[in-house]
């Protein structure tokens, strides 16, 4: 497995899980599920997700950016991490629930897109294929 593609795939997975959480939780709450009321609604989970997503995003995107110099990827990473961090750490004290959701959903989409572009760039780059191979 290639080191670079592994981090991008993990980043896409974590960002997608965040999106599913953000979209699915309101649906569960609206349906009256007790599980939804007790799981995933606290700010600690959102902050934990940021701490999980941030290093994966940096480890995936920075090496690709250094090789390709694609500023859209690094800008997407910065915007996505900024949005998700703002939503998780400012939370209810500063943001309305709707704004927090909008920031989180936007962040997830931007991060998935950045990882996807980075993954495509690395898959098409002979330099990446040669330099980023590790044994698994």
């Amino acid at each position: 497995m290639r080191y670079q593609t592994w981090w991008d795939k993990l980043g896409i997975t974590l960002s997608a899980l965040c999106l599913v959480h953000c979209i699915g939780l309101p649906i569960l709450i609206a349906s009256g599920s007790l599980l939804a009321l007790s799981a995933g609604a606290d700010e600690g989970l959102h902050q934990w997700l940021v701490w999980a997503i941030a290093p994966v995003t940096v480890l995936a995107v920075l090496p690709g950016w250094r090789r390709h110099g694609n500023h859209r990827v690094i800008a997407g990473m910065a915007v996505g991490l900024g949005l998700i961090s703002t939503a998780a750490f400012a939370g209810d004290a500063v943001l309305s629930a709707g704004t927090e959701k909008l920031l989180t959903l936007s962040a997830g989409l931007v991060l998935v897109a950045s990882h996807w572009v980075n993954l495509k760039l690395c898959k098409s780059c002979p330099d990446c294929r040669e330099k980023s191979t590790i044994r698994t």
Side-chain angles (χ1 to χ4, degrees):
M1 181 180 290
R2 298 191 195 306
Y3 175 80
Q4 185 67 37
T5 60
W6 187 86
W7 285 112
D8 276 316
K9 289 177 183 176
L10 181 60
I12 289 170
T13 301
L14 288 174
S15 297
L17 285 173
C18 189
L19 285 170
V20 168
H21 165 77
C22 290
I23 293 169
L25 190 62
I27 293 169
L28 289 175
I29 289 172
S31 68
S33 170
L34 291 176
L35 174 65
L37 296 174
S38 64
D42 84 327
E43 292 301 313
L45 176 64
H46 295 140
Q47 293 170 358
W48 181 86
L49 284 170
V50 171
W51 289 116
I53 288 170
V56 170
T57 299
V58 170
L59 287 169
V61 175
L62 281 181
W65 176 69
R66 285 185 192 138
R67 287 191 186 111
H68 311 121
N70 189 315
H71 297 295
R72 290 180 299 159
V73 174
I74 199 79
M77 176 192 80
V79 168
L81 289 178
L83 290 173
I84 201 164
S85 296
T86 300
F89 292 102
D92 296 334
V94 176
L95 305 171
S96 69
T99 302
E100 187 177 351
K101 286 254 185 267
L102 180 64
L103 288 177
T104 304
L105 290 171
S106 299
L109 291 172
V110 169
L111 287 170
V112 167
S114 295
H115 281 294
W116 185 80
V117 169
N118 196 52
L119 186 61
K120 294 299 177 187
L121 287 169
C122 287
K123 283 187 171 189
S124 66
C125 174
D127 187 44
C128 287
R129 288 193 298 265
E130 290 174 15
K131 292 183 179 179
S132 63
T133 304
I134 61 170
R135 304 278 180 214
T136 57

